[in-house]
Amino acid sequence: MHTVPRVLPDVLAAVLLLGGCTAPTVTVSFPTPSKTPTDKAVAAACTALRNAFDDAGTSLNTVFEQLTTDPQKALSTLQPVLADLEKAAKKVDNPTVRKQADKTVAAFQELVTALTAAVNDPTKIPGLAAPLAKVQTELAAFGALCGS
């Protein structure tokens, strides 16, 4: 059985702080936007993805909490989130929203890959900073596209 050394939480926290992720919290919520997209097809596609992306943001916060205490559990939390996002994105037929949804899913895929590598080899923890930042960037871009 592979165990993660006890040094992992401290190293991970340091990497996240030094990597520019000073506040490892992502808030992605989609309240009724004050400015909805003017294109009705974009608005409909955004509405269709809203729940999946809301859930992803909530789960990502849980993942951040788990990273320093139980990286394997964080990975177990993140994998179904990725599957749900992939499923939701495949249902979107609007090309503008689909493109951003695919970019966001790809960012989550990179994070799962990096987290898997870090769980298996703690020396790869520094590799988490870039995928975490990319997920945050893509989620923000999705929020901007959907008017929230």
Side-chain angles (χ1 to χ4, degrees):
M1 180 174 163
H2 180 71
T3 58
V4 179
R6 292 197 182 271
V7 72
L8 181 63
D10 294 334
V11 173
L12 181 59
V15 167
L16 292 175
L17 290 172
L18 293 174
C21 298
T22 55
T25 301
V26 174
T27 303
V28 180
S29 61
F30 295 97
T32 304
S34 57
K35 180 183 177 199
T36 57
T38 54
D39 183 330
K40 288 183 183 192
V42 169
C46 288
T47 299
L49 288 173
R50 188 153 297 169
N51 287 339
F53 279 73
D54 262 348
D55 292 346
T58 300
S59 295
L60 196 55
N61 286 326
T62 301
V63 167
F64 280 135
E65 292 170 10
Q66 295 169 337
L67 276 175
T68 57
T69 58
D70 191 346
Q72 181 61 50
K73 191 172 185 176
L75 180 60
S76 296
T77 300
L78 191 57
Q79 289 169 326
V81 171
L82 173 59
D84 290 345
L85 286 176
E86 288 173 328
K87 191 184 319 178
K90 287 179 183 177
K91 294 179 182 178
V92 173
D93 58 359
N94 178 277
T96 303
V97 177
R98 176 66 186 262
K99 181 179 177 181
Q100 184 56 50
D102 287 344
K103 288 172 67 175
T104 306
V105 167
F108 270 89
Q109 288 169 332
E110 288 179 32
L111 180 57
V112 166
T113 299
L115 184 52
T116 301
V119 165
N120 293 328
D121 179 2
T123 64
K124 297 192 179 193
I125 291 172
L128 289 174
L132 285 169
K134 188 170 184 179
V135 165
Q136 290 177 323
T137 298
E138 296 306 336
L139 284 172
F142 180 83
L145 173 66
C146 289
S148 56

